[in-house]
Amino acid sequence: MKRFIRCERGSASIEFVALALPLFVPIIFFLHQFALVSGQEEIARTLAREGARAFVSSSEQSSAAVAMSAVILRAGRELGLTDAEFERMAINLECSSSPCYSPNGKIIVTVHFGATKEFPSVTASAQEYVSPWS
């Protein structure tokens, strides 16, 4: 029995399980959360960018906001957003001039996802310029 206790075979495995594995659990948890937040940020950036493009490519002010909302809704569905995620989403439109759809006007579209228990809040903005010849 003494010989078995003094033998060091397998001690590296025991040390790895006892010391290294508890350190891997927080790292794996962090990487998982980071991936979730990064995915939400990428979706918010894409929706803001596509919404801004839809706004400035419209032919007039009255159809620009409608086109922006429709593109954001459609792109969100294509990106796999659920109804709960759409409920968390807020869209803001800022204009450099009044009316928004004026030549050389700067448009900033901001997409914000509110915080929940699973996700922190995420905000992304995109800017575009209305054509000077419109």
Side-chain angles (χ1 to χ4, degrees), residues 24-93:
F24 285 140
V25 172
I27 291 171
I28 291 170
F29 179 74
F30 170 76
L31 291 176
H32 175 69
Q33 289 294 81
F34 183 76
L36 288 175
V37 171
S38 294
Q40 285 285 317
E41 286 177 348
E42 181 62 29
I43 288 172
R45 272 193 303 270
T46 300
L47 294 178
R49 187 175 55 246
E50 295 301 324
R53 286 179 184 159
F55 190 94
V56 299
S57 63
S58 296
S59 59
E60 58 186 37
Q61 172 76 29
S62 61
S63 65
V66 173
M68 178 188 73
S69 297
V71 165
I72 289 175
L73 180 65
R74 175 70 188 248
R77 292 281 179 216
E78 290 292 323
L79 292 171
L81 292 182
T82 63
D83 290 334
E85 289 170 318
F86 276 114
E87 290 175 12
R88 291 179 37 224
M89 184 173 66
I91 303 166
N92 186 31
L93 175 66

Side-chain angles (χ1 to χ4, degrees), residues 78-134:
E78 290 292 323
L79 292 171
L81 292 182
T82 63
D83 290 334
E85 289 170 318
F86 276 114
E87 290 175 12
R88 291 179 37 224
M89 184 173 66
I91 303 166
N92 186 31
L93 175 66
E94 295 176 41
C95 309
S96 66
S97 58
S98 181
C100 277
Y101 195 84
S102 6
N104 287 329
K106 181 170 83 170
I107 307 299
I108 299 174
V109 176
T110 303
V111 175
H112 175 77
F113 287 100
T116 64
K117 291 180 182 178
E118 296 86 25
F119 297 104
S121 64
V122 172
T123 303
S125 296
Q127 72 179 16
E128 290 283 339
Y129 291 90
V130 178
S131 171
W133 299 282
S134 57

